[in-house]
Amino acid sequence: MKSILYYWGIFCLLNIIPSCSTAGSETDLDIEEIIEVPRELKLSIPLINEKWIYTEEVDYEFEILDGNGDYRAVVADTGTDPSGFACVEGNKVIVSLLDNSGCSVTVWDKKGKSAVVYIQSTHESLNVASHFYSLGVGDTVEVDNIDFGVGKPYTIERIKGNASEINIKDEKIYVTARSLGNTYYKFRDKRGTVLSFTTISSLSFELDESQRTLSFNAVNSMSGSVRLKWGNEWEVVEKSEKIIQRYSLERPHLAGGGLSEYYTFFIETKDEATGTDTFLLRNNKNEEVTISITI
């Protein structure tokens, strides 16, 4: 009896083992997954490490040849004003440049694949020079040489200072200096190219060899200059900078070329500060001048 039961158990076990093995194989096949490998992002232009692509136009286009879809393009933020902007239409990337310094454009897809393109334009409309106007307090000037970028309509933004005001009448621009100080503006053309525009109402002094001290009152965000009518190789040997944003001591460049015969001490005051700053100037003969500025 014991032998019969023993062989009966062996028989059942041999029938169970293949049955379990077959079921396991079917389960493995059911849960097997196919892993999709992201496609590399390929553009219609060669990607050479940090090499620039140059164009003579204000807009530049290229194609996305391969990738993973849902494309977007972003222009790198390099300062207070954008150097360009980009959009994607289907598989086409359109980059609009706003200045002649160029821009870096990164193209992304939904799988996180990216490619960077560096583009610079030589179009003459992007070669914009800053404008500076020096006005006496109460003076008004018609600005008749504003013609930059791709043209009107221009927008005007006050950036800093309130010493002057700008009015537009009959499409002409008029600037009036209301007080001492510097006022900074940004003009933008209809595409977004920026022209920096500054009005300056400053104080100016001259010192001859008999005058070795000078004290004057200033206001915030203001420029001033002191011309030294004698001496050579002047330098600043002592200074304080509680109210002074920047200063320089130099022989200015003349409009017709060359350098001025005299040294000039230039200052620009801070936007918000009060107190007195004193500068000690000395030339190559050890002659000294003391200049004090108070806000």
Side-chain angles (χ1 to χ4, degrees):
M1 184 67 178
K2 184 182 294 185
S3 298
I4 295 173
L5 291 175
Y6 173 79
Y7 287 112
W8 174 253
I10 295 295
F11 174 79
C12 292
L13 182 62
L14 291 173
N15 280 278
I16 291 172
I17 290 174
S19 174
C20 293
S21 175
T22 302
S25 299
E26 292 174 352
T27 303
D28 290 342
L29 289 173
D30 291 342
I31 66 173
E32 183 179 356
E33 295 181 0
I34 299 174
I35 299 175
E36 182 181 356
V37 178
R39 305 168 72 89
E40 290 300 320
L41 190 61
K42 296 181 180 179
L43 308 180
S44 61
I45 52 178
L47 297 178
I48 307 171
N49 290 339
E50 298 192 6
K51 296 294 184 181
W52 289 88
I53 294 171
Y54 294 95
T55 177
E56 296 179 352
E57 306 299 328
V58 294
D59 296 320
Y60 185 83
E61 299 181 4
F62 57 91
E63 301 278 340
I64 302 172
L65 301 180
D66 198 4
N68 301 285
D70 291 344
Y71 303 111
R72 60 189 178 92
V74 179
V75 174
D77 185 5
T78 57
T80 56
D81 296 301
S83 55
F85 54 90
C87 65
V88 178
E89 297 180 358
N91 281 18
K92 180 186 294 184
V93 180
I94 303 171
V95 181
S96 297
L97 295 121
L98 297 181
D99 63 41
N100 61 1
S101 64
C103 66
S104 168
V105 184
T106 303
V107 181
W108 298 85
D109 67 17
K110 66 180 180 181
K111 294 291 187 179
K113 295 291 185 179
S114 65
V116 182
V117 180
Y118 301 88
I119 306 170
Q120 188 170 14
S121 173
T122 58
H123 196 281
E124 62 179 6
S125 71
L126 303 181
N127 186 21
V128 180
S130 298
H131 279 48
F132 296 87
Y133 275 82
S134 182
L135 301 173
V137 175
D139 290 347
T140 297
V141 63
E142 178 186 338
V143 181
D144 56 3
N145 61 344
I146 297 297
D147 182 16
F148 73 99
V150 293
K152 300 176 181 178
Y154 300 124
T155 59
I156 301 173
E157 178 186 2
R158 184 194 301 269
I159 302 301
K160 185 175 68 173
N162 55 11
S164 69
E165 64 181 22
I166 290 180
N167 294 295
I168 300 176
K169 184 177 180 181
D170 299 329
E171 296 191 348
K172 294 182 179 179
I173 300 171
Y174 298 90
V175 181
T176 302
R178 295 302 186 189
S179 61
L180 288 173
N182 303 339
T183 311
Y184 303 87
Y185 302 90
K186 286 182 180 177
F187 287 23
R188 290 183 173 86
D189 73 352
K190 62 184 179 183
R191 292 180 73 251
T193 294
V194 172
L195 177 147
S196 296
F197 186 96
T198 305
T199 64
I200 301 172
S201 298
S202 63
L203 290 174
S204 181
F205 302 92
E206 289 188 347
L207 293 181
D208 60 32
E209 196 167 356
S210 65
Q211 300 168 289
R212 300 300 177 90
T213 62
L214 174 67
S215 298
F216 63 91
N217 293 325
V219 297
N220 295 120
S221 189
M222 188 200 82
S223 298
S225 64
V226 181
R227 189 168 76 163
L228 305 170
K229 297 185 66 176
W230 87 102
N232 288 303
E233 299 179 21
W234 287 96
E235 61 180 348
V236 177
V237 293
E238 293 181 16
K239 61 184 174 64
S240 60
E241 295 177 82
K242 295 186 293 293
I243 64 167
I244 298 300
Q245 180 70 35
R246 60 182 62 88
Y247 71 90
S248 65
L249 178 58
E250 60 191 77
R251 290 171 59 195
H253 289 271
L254 300 175
L259 297 175
S260 168
E261 182 179 353
Y262 302 110
Y263 278 77
T264 303
F265 178 63
F266 296 97
I267 60 99
E268 183 177 337
T269 60
K270 294 179 179 179
D271 297 339
E272 296 180 3
T274 58
T276 299
D277 279 338
T278 300
F279 291 80
L280 178 63
L281 283 52
R282 183 182 297 149
N283 64 21
N284 60 348
K285 293 184 178 180
N286 288 323
E287 297 171 318
E288 296 181 344
V289 167
T290 301
I291 300 174
S292 295
I293 307 104
T294 300
I295 297 179

